């Protein structure tokens, strides 16, 4: 119970009655102007580290491999050699003859390292060089063809 209060104007003692119902909400007014921008807050915690990516190709000097290293050939047969140089960056493979030329139409080479001499003759006997050249350097190997 609340303490008694004096009623106005007669000066009598008044006892308050029970609370009344809550009144209805008043009309909504227009929104006020936007306030000034606040200060920037502290940075949040660092996120999780992502997965490690795939490794790139490593660079290395060319390394020549020839198959077979020597080959006996019967006259009028075809002789074939394969030269590979698999490194990064990809080297350019070329064939040449030690003390001679490959300018004959019977000699064929390709960019995959194949070396072929058709209708082999005794004059074709000798040493042949496979060379691989890239921007990083050069490597070469020698093979022997004989009758």
């Amino acid at each position: 119970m609340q303490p008694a209060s004096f009623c106005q104007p007669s000066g009598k003692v008044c006892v308050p009655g029970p609370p009344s119902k809550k009144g209805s909400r008043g009309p909504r007014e227009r929104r006020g102007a936007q306030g000034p921008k606040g200060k920037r807050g502290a940075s949040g915690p660092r996120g999780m580290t992502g997965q490690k990516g795939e490794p790139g190709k490593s660079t290395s000097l060319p390394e020549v491999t020839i198959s077979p290293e020597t080959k006996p050939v019967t006259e009028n047969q075809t002789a074939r050699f394969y030269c590979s140089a698999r490194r990064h960056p990809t080297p350019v493979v070329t064939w040449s003859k030690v003390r001679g030329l490959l300018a004959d139409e019977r000699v064929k080479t390709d960019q995959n390292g194949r070396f072929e001499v058709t209708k082999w003759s005794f004059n074709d006997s000798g040493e042949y060089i496979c060379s691989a050249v890239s921007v990083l350097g050069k490597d070469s190997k020698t093979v022997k063809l004989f009758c």
Side-chain angles (χ1 to χ4, degrees):
M1 188 161 167
Q2 292 183 340
S5 62
F6 292 100
C7 294
Q8 296 287 326
S10 62
K12 296 182 184 175
V13 175
C14 297
V15 178
S20 65
K21 283 188 189 179
K22 192 169 184 177
S24 63
R25 189 173 183 157
R28 188 166 184 165
E29 293 295 321
R30 290 192 316 156
R31 191 175 192 156
Q34 184 174 352
K37 186 173 183 176
K39 292 181 182 176
R40 182 181 173 123
S43 296
R46 185 177 176 137
M48 290 177 49
T49 303
Q51 291 182 344
K52 187 171 181 175
E54 292 292 321
K57 289 184 176 180
S58 62
T59 58
S60 58
L61 293 169
E63 185 176 335
V64 171
T65 305
I66 297 178
S67 174
E69 291 183 7
T70 60
K71 185 171 187 167
V73 181
T74 307
E75 199 150 355
N76 289 323
Q77 281 188 328
T78 298
R80 279 188 200 89
F81 285 90
Y82 296 93
C83 178
S84 64
R86 298 175 196 244
R87 295 297 173 128
H88 186 74
T90 304
V92 175
V93 175
T94 57
W95 283 93
S96 60
K97 184 175 181 182
V98 177
R99 292 183 222 89
L101 298 173
L102 294 180
D104 196 318
E105 65 276 352
R106 296 176 302 113
V107 177
K108 295 177 185 168
T109 61
D110 66 19
Q111 69 273 12
N112 296 322
R114 184 174 61 97
F115 171 72
E116 182 177 283
V117 180
T118 57
K119 297 181 184 174
W120 186 262
S121 73
F122 180 76
N123 293 334
D124 297 320
S125 295
E127 293 182 323
Y128 292 83
I129 299 173
C130 174
S131 299
V133 179
S134 76
V135 294
L136 298 178
K138 177 182 178 179
D139 188 29
S140 62
K141 291 267 180 1
T142 304
V143 296
K144 293 180 182 180
L145 286 170
F146 55 91
C147 288

